[in-house]
PDB file of all heavy atoms in Angstrom:
ATOM      1  N   GLU A 821      24.705 224.518  11.176  1.00  0.00           N
ATOM      2  CA  GLU A 821      24.822 224.503  12.679  1.00  0.00           C
ATOM      3  C   GLU A 821      26.091 223.776  13.065  1.00  0.00           C
ATOM      4  O   GLU A 821      26.744 224.223  13.988  1.00  0.00           O
ATOM      5  CB  GLU A 821      23.561 223.827  13.230  1.00  0.00           C
ATOM      6  CG  GLU A 821      23.579 223.892  14.755  1.00  0.00           C
ATOM      7  CD  GLU A 821      22.328 223.192  15.333  1.00  0.00           C
ATOM      8  OE1 GLU A 821      21.257 223.266  14.735  1.00  0.00           O
ATOM      9  OE2 GLU A 821      22.461 222.625  16.378  1.00  0.00           O
ATOM     10  N   ILE A 822      26.477 222.677  12.428  1.00  0.00           N
ATOM     11  CA  ILE A 822      27.635 221.941  12.796  1.00  0.00           C
ATOM     12  C   ILE A 822      28.866 222.781  12.563  1.00  0.00           C
ATOM     13  O   ILE A 822      29.773 222.860  13.379  1.00  0.00           O
ATOM     14  CB  ILE A 822      27.702 220.618  12.047  1.00  0.00           C
ATOM     15  CG1 ILE A 822      26.631 219.664  12.475  1.00  0.00           C
ATOM     16  CG2 ILE A 822      29.109 219.924  12.188  1.00  0.00           C
ATOM     17  CD1 ILE A 822      26.443 218.413  11.687  1.00  0.00           C
ATOM     18  N   MET A 826      31.682 223.911  15.343  1.00  0.00           N
ATOM     19  CA  MET A 826      33.073 223.644  15.236  1.00  0.00           C
ATOM     20  C   MET A 826      33.926 224.875  15.246  1.00  0.00           C
ATOM     21  O   MET A 826      35.006 224.937  15.888  1.00  0.00           O
ATOM     22  CB  MET A 826      33.356 222.893  13.925  1.00  0.00           C
ATOM     23  CG  MET A 826      32.800 221.444  13.928  1.00  0.00           C
ATOM     24  SD  MET A 826      33.162 220.525  12.442  1.00  0.00           S
ATOM     25  CE  MET A 826      34.902 220.158  12.722  1.00  0.00           C
ATOM     26  N   ARG A 827      33.446 225.947  14.648  1.00  0.00           N
ATOM     27  CA  ARG A 827      34.131 227.273  14.692  1.00  0.00           C
ATOM     28  C   ARG A 827      34.215 227.786  16.126  1.00  0.00           C
ATOM     29  O   ARG A 827      35.138 228.398  16.509  1.00  0.00           O
ATOM     30  CB  ARG A 827      33.404 228.266  13.782  1.00  0.00           C
ATOM     31  CG  ARG A 827      33.536 227.931  12.330  1.00  0.00           C
ATOM     32  CD  ARG A 827      34.625 228.723  11.675  1.00  0.00           C
ATOM     33  NE  ARG A 827      34.654 228.376  10.274  1.00  0.00           N
ATOM     34  CZ  ARG A 827      35.671 227.910   9.593  1.00  0.00           C
ATOM     35  NH1 ARG A 827      36.821 227.788  10.236  1.00  0.00           N
ATOM     36  NH2 ARG A 827      35.574 227.653   8.330  1.00  0.00           N
ATOM     37  N   ALA A 829      34.241 226.060  18.752  1.00  0.00           N
ATOM     38  CA  ALA A 829      35.114 225.190  19.567  1.00  0.00           C
ATOM     39  C   ALA A 829      36.633 225.491  19.208  1.00  0.00           C
ATOM     40  O   ALA A 829      37.484 225.451  20.073  1.00  0.00           O
ATOM     41  CB  ALA A 829      34.892 223.739  19.356  1.00  0.00           C
ATOM     42  N   PHE A 834      39.799 224.088   9.315  1.00  0.00           N
ATOM     43  CA  PHE A 834      39.498 224.213   7.926  1.00  0.00           C
ATOM     44  C   PHE A 834      38.385 223.199   7.618  1.00  0.00           C
ATOM     45  O   PHE A 834      38.660 222.040   7.616  1.00  0.00           O
ATOM     46  CB  PHE A 834      40.732 224.002   7.039  1.00  0.00           C
ATOM     47  CG  PHE A 834      40.585 224.344   5.564  1.00  0.00           C
ATOM     48  CD1 PHE A 834      40.783 225.669   5.211  1.00  0.00           C
ATOM     49  CD2 PHE A 834      40.269 223.392   4.661  1.00  0.00           C
ATOM     50  CE1 PHE A 834      40.655 226.042   3.878  1.00  0.00           C
ATOM     51  CE2 PHE A 834      40.140 223.734   3.317  1.00  0.00           C
ATOM     52  CZ  PHE A 834      40.377 225.061   2.947  1.00  0.00           C
ATOM     53  N   ILE A 836      35.830 221.188   5.403  1.00  0.00           N
ATOM     54  CA  ILE A 836      35.487 220.743   4.068  1.00  0.00           C
ATOM     55  C   ILE A 836      34.186 219.910   4.150  1.00  0.00           C
ATOM     56  O   ILE A 836      34.169 218.924   4.878  1.00  0.00           O
ATOM     57  CB  ILE A 836      36.614 219.891   3.484  1.00  0.00           C
ATOM     58  CG1 ILE A 836      37.934 220.663   3.416  1.00  0.00           C
ATOM     59  CG2 ILE A 836      36.250 219.354   2.041  1.00  0.00           C
ATOM     60  CD1 ILE A 836      39.170 219.840   3.001  1.00  0.00           C
ATOM     61  N   ASN A 841      26.162 214.699  -5.020  1.00  0.00           N
ATOM     62  CA  ASN A 841      25.908 215.613  -6.170  1.00  0.00           C
ATOM     63  C   ASN A 841      25.355 216.910  -5.656  1.00  0.00           C
ATOM     64  O   ASN A 841      24.141 217.147  -5.730  1.00  0.00           O
ATOM     65  CB  ASN A 841      24.996 214.978  -7.184  1.00  0.00           C
ATOM     66  CG  ASN A 841      25.605 213.809  -7.876  1.00  0.00           C
ATOM     67  OD1 ASN A 841      26.717 213.896  -8.403  1.00  0.00           O
ATOM     68  ND2 ASN A 841      24.929 212.721  -7.860  1.00  0.00           N
ATOM     69  N   THR A 843      23.911 220.579  -5.105  1.00  0.00           N
ATOM     70  CA  THR A 843      23.315 221.592  -5.955  1.00  0.00           C
ATOM     71  C   THR A 843      24.037 222.949  -5.672  1.00  0.00           C
ATOM     72  O   THR A 843      24.665 223.044  -4.609  1.00  0.00           O
ATOM     73  CB  THR A 843      21.826 221.734  -5.680  1.00  0.00           C
ATOM     74  OG1 THR A 843      21.683 222.170  -4.343  1.00  0.00           O
ATOM     75  CG2 THR A 843      21.072 220.435  -5.890  1.00  0.00           C
ATOM     76  N   ALA A 849      24.766 227.398   0.584  1.00  0.00           N
ATOM     77  CA  ALA A 849      24.341 227.318   2.012  1.00  0.00           C
ATOM     78  C   ALA A 849      25.446 226.764   2.898  1.00  0.00           C
ATOM     79  O   ALA A 849      25.686 227.266   3.979  1.00  0.00           O
ATOM     80  CB  ALA A 849      23.146 226.395   2.114  1.00  0.00           C
ATOM     81  N   GLY A 850      26.175 225.772   2.384  1.00  0.00           N
ATOM     82  CA  GLY A 850      27.315 225.198   3.186  1.00  0.00           C
ATOM     83  C   GLY A 850      28.383 226.229   3.413  1.00  0.00           C
ATOM     84  O   GLY A 850      28.976 226.364   4.551  1.00  0.00           O
ATOM     85  N   SER A 853      27.309 228.858   5.771  1.00  0.00           N
ATOM     86  CA  SER A 853      27.189 228.442   7.142  1.00  0.00           C
ATOM     87  C   SER A 853      28.561 228.324   7.847  1.00  0.00           C
ATOM     88  O   SER A 853      28.635 228.033   9.033  1.00  0.00           O
ATOM     89  CB  SER A 853      26.473 227.111   7.178  1.00  0.00           C
ATOM     90  OG  SER A 853      27.304 226.056   6.720  1.00  0.00           O
ATOM     91  N   TYR A 858      33.389 223.232  -0.296  1.00  0.00           N
ATOM     92  CA  TYR A 858      32.326 222.294  -0.431  1.00  0.00           C
ATOM     93  C   TYR A 858      32.600 221.511  -1.732  1.00  0.00           C
ATOM     94  O   TYR A 858      32.660 222.078  -2.822  1.00  0.00           O
ATOM     95  CB  TYR A 858      30.940 222.989  -0.549  1.00  0.00           C
ATOM     96  CG  TYR A 858      29.790 222.095  -0.301  1.00  0.00           C
ATOM     97  CD1 TYR A 858      28.860 222.445   0.649  1.00  0.00           C
ATOM     98  CD2 TYR A 858      29.597 220.956  -0.988  1.00  0.00           C
ATOM     99  CE1 TYR A 858      27.753 221.653   0.880  1.00  0.00           C
ATOM    100  CE2 TYR A 858      28.506 220.116  -0.719  1.00  0.00           C
ATOM    101  CZ  TYR A 858      27.539 220.504   0.209  1.00  0.00           C
ATOM    102  OH  TYR A 858      26.473 219.653   0.459  1.00  0.00           O
ATOM    103  N   LEU A 859      32.835 220.230  -1.624  1.00  0.00           N
ATOM    104  CA  LEU A 859      33.283 219.393  -2.742  1.00  0.00           C
ATOM    105  C   LEU A 859      32.253 218.261  -3.059  1.00  0.00           C
ATOM    106  O   LEU A 859      31.586 217.808  -2.152  1.00  0.00           O
ATOM    107  CB  LEU A 859      34.608 218.737  -2.484  1.00  0.00           C
ATOM    108  CG  LEU A 859      35.767 219.727  -2.149  1.00  0.00           C
ATOM    109  CD1 LEU A 859      36.954 218.921  -1.675  1.00  0.00           C
ATOM    110  CD2 LEU A 859      36.061 220.561  -3.324  1.00  0.00           C
ATOM    111  N   PHE A 868      41.519 215.762  -3.785  1.00  0.00           N
ATOM    112  CA  PHE A 868      41.051 215.985  -2.413  1.00  0.00           C
ATOM    113  C   PHE A 868      42.274 216.176  -1.460  1.00  0.00           C
ATOM    114  O   PHE A 868      42.255 217.032  -0.588  1.00  0.00           O
ATOM    115  CB  PHE A 868      40.186 214.759  -2.001  1.00  0.00           C
ATOM    116  CG  PHE A 868      39.693 214.892  -0.577  1.00  0.00           C
ATOM    117  CD1 PHE A 868      38.626 215.747  -0.332  1.00  0.00           C
ATOM    118  CD2 PHE A 868      40.266 214.276   0.492  1.00  0.00           C
ATOM    119  CE1 PHE A 868      38.068 215.902   0.965  1.00  0.00           C
ATOM    120  CE2 PHE A 868      39.754 214.406   1.812  1.00  0.00           C
ATOM    121  CZ  PHE A 868      38.685 215.207   2.008  1.00  0.00           C
ATOM    122  N   LYS A 873      45.825 219.537   1.946  1.00  0.00           N
ATOM    123  CA  LYS A 873      47.108 220.167   2.206  1.00  0.00           C
ATOM    124  C   LYS A 873      47.032 221.707   2.152  1.00  0.00           C
ATOM    125  O   LYS A 873      47.727 222.396   2.965  1.00  0.00           O
ATOM    126  CB  LYS A 873      48.146 219.675   1.161  1.00  0.00           C
ATOM    127  CG  LYS A 873      48.593 218.274   1.375  1.00  0.00           C
ATOM    128  CD  LYS A 873      49.604 217.837   0.280  1.00  0.00           C
ATOM    129  CE  LYS A 873      50.040 216.372   0.530  1.00  0.00           C
ATOM    130  NZ  LYS A 873      50.953 215.894  -0.495  1.00  0.00           N
ATOM    131  N   GLY A 875      44.414 223.383   2.995  1.00  0.00           N
ATOM    132  CA  GLY A 875      43.787 223.726   4.297  1.00  0.00           C
ATOM    133  C   GLY A 875      44.816 223.712   5.414  1.00  0.00           C
ATOM    134  O   GLY A 875      44.765 224.626   6.318  1.00  0.00           O
ATOM    135  N   ARG A 877      48.006 224.276   5.178  1.00  0.00           N
ATOM    136  CA  ARG A 877      48.852 225.464   5.043  1.00  0.00           C
ATOM    137  C   ARG A 877      48.124 226.693   5.556  1.00  0.00           C
ATOM    138  O   ARG A 877      48.688 227.560   6.217  1.00  0.00           O
ATOM    139  CB  ARG A 877      49.261 225.669   3.581  1.00  0.00           C
ATOM    140  CG  ARG A 877      50.262 224.716   3.061  1.00  0.00           C
ATOM    141  CD  ARG A 877      50.880 225.153   1.705  1.00  0.00           C
ATOM    142  NE  ARG A 877      49.792 225.393   0.687  1.00  0.00           N
ATOM    143  CZ  ARG A 877      49.329 224.425  -0.140  1.00  0.00           C
ATOM    144  NH1 ARG A 877      49.778 223.205  -0.039  1.00  0.00           N
ATOM    145  NH2 ARG A 877      48.412 224.717  -0.993  1.00  0.00           N
ATOM    146  N   THR A 878      46.831 226.823   5.210  1.00  0.00           N
ATOM    147  CA  THR A 878      46.057 227.971   5.651  1.00  0.00           C
ATOM    148  C   THR A 878      46.032 228.102   7.160  1.00  0.00           C
ATOM    149  O   THR A 878      46.207 229.131   7.688  1.00  0.00           O
ATOM    150  CB  THR A 878      44.633 227.879   5.026  1.00  0.00           C
ATOM    151  OG1 THR A 878      44.738 227.912   3.591  1.00  0.00           O
ATOM    152  CG2 THR A 878      43.754 229.034   5.542  1.00  0.00           C
ATOM    153  N   ARG A 881      49.381 229.161   8.572  1.00  0.00           N
ATOM    154  CA  ARG A 881      49.585 230.672   8.411  1.00  0.00           C
ATOM    155  C   ARG A 881      48.749 231.408   9.454  1.00  0.00           C
ATOM    156  O   ARG A 881      49.175 232.386  10.010  1.00  0.00           O
ATOM    157  CB  ARG A 881      49.259 231.070   6.964  1.00  0.00           C
ATOM    158  CG  ARG A 881      50.367 230.689   5.966  1.00  0.00           C
ATOM    159  CD  ARG A 881      50.143 231.344   4.627  1.00  0.00           C
ATOM    160  NE  ARG A 881      48.929 230.901   3.949  1.00  0.00           N
ATOM    161  CZ  ARG A 881      48.913 229.924   3.011  1.00  0.00           C
ATOM    162  NH1 ARG A 881      49.998 229.360   2.690  1.00  0.00           N
ATOM    163  NH2 ARG A 881      47.773 229.637   2.451  1.00  0.00           N
ATOM    164  N   LEU A 885      50.316 233.827  12.326  1.00  0.00           N
ATOM    165  CA  LEU A 885      49.913 235.257  12.387  1.00  0.00           C
ATOM    166  C   LEU A 885      49.339 235.571  13.786  1.00  0.00           C
ATOM    167  O   LEU A 885      49.637 236.636  14.338  1.00  0.00           O
ATOM    168  CB  LEU A 885      48.869 235.569  11.324  1.00  0.00           C
ATOM    169  CG  LEU A 885      48.383 237.016  11.265  1.00  0.00           C
ATOM    170  CD1 LEU A 885      49.497 237.983  11.040  1.00  0.00           C
ATOM    171  CD2 LEU A 885      47.281 237.131  10.185  1.00  0.00           C
ATOM    172  N   ALA A 886      48.612 234.679  14.336  1.00  0.00           N
ATOM    173  CA  ALA A 886      48.089 234.883  15.693  1.00  0.00           C
ATOM    174  C   ALA A 886      49.188 234.981  16.745  1.00  0.00           C
ATOM    175  O   ALA A 886      49.181 235.840  17.614  1.00  0.00           O
ATOM    176  CB  ALA A 886      47.098 233.748  16.101  1.00  0.00           C
ATOM    177  N   LYS A 888      52.272 235.950  16.084  1.00  0.00           N
ATOM    178  CA  LYS A 888      52.985 237.183  15.836  1.00  0.00           C
ATOM    179  C   LYS A 888      52.199 238.397  16.438  1.00  0.00           C
ATOM    180  O   LYS A 888      52.820 239.282  17.050  1.00  0.00           O
ATOM    181  CB  LYS A 888      53.136 237.392  14.302  1.00  0.00           C
ATOM    182  CG  LYS A 888      53.962 238.586  13.928  1.00  0.00           C
ATOM    183  CD  LYS A 888      54.167 238.599  12.380  1.00  0.00           C
ATOM    184  CE  LYS A 888      55.025 239.799  12.050  1.00  0.00           C
ATOM    185  NZ  LYS A 888      55.264 239.873  10.592  1.00  0.00           N
ATOM    186  N   ARG A 891      52.710 238.304  20.239  1.00  0.00           N
ATOM    187  CA  ARG A 891      53.981 238.831  20.626  1.00  0.00           C
ATOM    188  C   ARG A 891      54.075 240.350  20.479  1.00  0.00           C
ATOM    189  O   ARG A 891      54.596 241.028  21.356  1.00  0.00           O
ATOM    190  CB  ARG A 891      55.132 238.192  19.771  1.00  0.00           C
ATOM    191  CG  ARG A 891      55.436 236.766  20.184  1.00  0.00           C
ATOM    192  CD  ARG A 891      56.683 236.282  19.559  1.00  0.00           C
ATOM    193  NE  ARG A 891      56.668 236.333  18.123  1.00  0.00           N
ATOM    194  CZ  ARG A 891      56.330 235.355  17.294  1.00  0.00           C
ATOM    195  NH1 ARG A 891      55.939 234.240  17.767  1.00  0.00           N
ATOM    196  NH2 ARG A 891      56.387 235.516  15.979  1.00  0.00           N
ATOM    197  N   ASP A 895      54.719 243.161  23.395  1.00  0.00           N
ATOM    198  CA  ASP A 895      55.767 244.201  23.292  1.00  0.00           C
ATOM    199  C   ASP A 895      55.205 245.570  23.680  1.00  0.00           C
ATOM    200  O   ASP A 895      55.832 246.370  24.292  1.00  0.00           O
ATOM    201  CB  ASP A 895      56.400 244.289  21.889  1.00  0.00           C
ATOM    202  CG  ASP A 895      57.246 243.094  21.536  1.00  0.00           C
ATOM    203  OD1 ASP A 895      57.612 242.325  22.508  1.00  0.00           O
ATOM    204  OD2 ASP A 895      57.489 242.850  20.370  1.00  0.00           O
ATOM    205  N   PRO A 898      53.639 245.089  28.108  1.00  0.00           N
ATOM    206  CA  PRO A 898      54.330 244.044  28.912  1.00  0.00           C
ATOM    207  C   PRO A 898      53.577 243.798  30.247  1.00  0.00           C
ATOM    208  O   PRO A 898      52.948 244.656  30.748  1.00  0.00           O
ATOM    209  CB  PRO A 898      55.705 244.639  29.147  1.00  0.00           C
ATOM    210  CG  PRO A 898      55.528 246.111  28.942  1.00  0.00           C
ATOM    211  CD  PRO A 898      54.445 246.275  27.997  1.00  0.00           C
ATOM    212  N   PRO A 899      53.712 242.523  30.721  1.00  0.00           N
ATOM    213  CA  PRO A 899      53.058 242.227  31.980  1.00  0.00           C
ATOM    214  C   PRO A 899      53.582 243.101  33.103  1.00  0.00           C
ATOM    215  O   PRO A 899      54.789 243.403  33.101  1.00  0.00           O
ATOM    216  CB  PRO A 899      53.415 240.771  32.255  1.00  0.00           C
ATOM    217  CG  PRO A 899      54.300 240.331  31.116  1.00  0.00           C
ATOM    218  CD  PRO A 899      54.516 241.444  30.175  1.00  0.00           C
TER     219      PRO A 899
END
Side-chain angles (χ1 to χ4, degrees):
E821 184 180 325
I822 292 171
M826 291 183 74
R827 293 261 183 236
F834 191 83
I836 301 175
N841 291 309
T843 64
S853 73
Y858 199 126
L859 304 171
F868 183 77
K873 287 180 180 180
R877 285 192 307 272
T878 299
R881 286 191 292 264
L885 182 58
K888 186 175 181 179
R891 285 193 302 268
D895 290 344

